[in-house]
Amino acid sequence: MLERAAGLEETEGLILRSLGQNAVRNHHFYKAETYYQQALAHSGYRTSRYSTKTKAELANALFRHSRQM
């Protein structure tokens, strides 16, 4: 899906966010951090209404990852 969304900034961001959410469910917090950061790197996504939720999810993943160490 990510390849098919190439060039669609907001859609790519949403897919990356979904991958991050899946990584959190599987307790792969480092992977989740990476996906959330990649989503927020897309300028079209960064200005979307979903970016605030992604920032909160990134903060949660960072916190949970630090607690895991």
Side-chain angles (χ1 to χ4, degrees):
M1 291 305 295
L2 196 54
E3 289 177 11
R4 293 181 71 190
L8 303 171
E9 297 274 323
E10 189 172 344
T11 305
E12 277 185 274
L14 286 171
I15 292 169
L16 289 164
R17 178 177 175 233
S18 295
L19 291 170
Q21 290 171 326
N22 187 54
V24 166
R25 284 187 205 103
N26 291 307
H27 302 281
H28 298 134
F29 303 115
Y30 181 76
K31 259 186 176 177
E33 293 170 33
T34 305
Y35 287 130
Y36 291 143
Q37 289 171 346
Q38 288 176 1
L40 292 167
H42 291 283
S43 60
Y45 183 76
R46 194 173 36 241
T47 58
S48 77
R49 64 182 177 188
Y50 304 105
S51 66
T52 304
K53 288 183 177 186
T54 304
K55 290 174 189 175
E57 291 167 340
L58 173 59
N60 183 34
L62 288 166
F63 175 73
R64 293 176 74 178
H65 182 232
S66 70
R67 302 255 320 174
Q68 213 176 32
M69 297 172 124

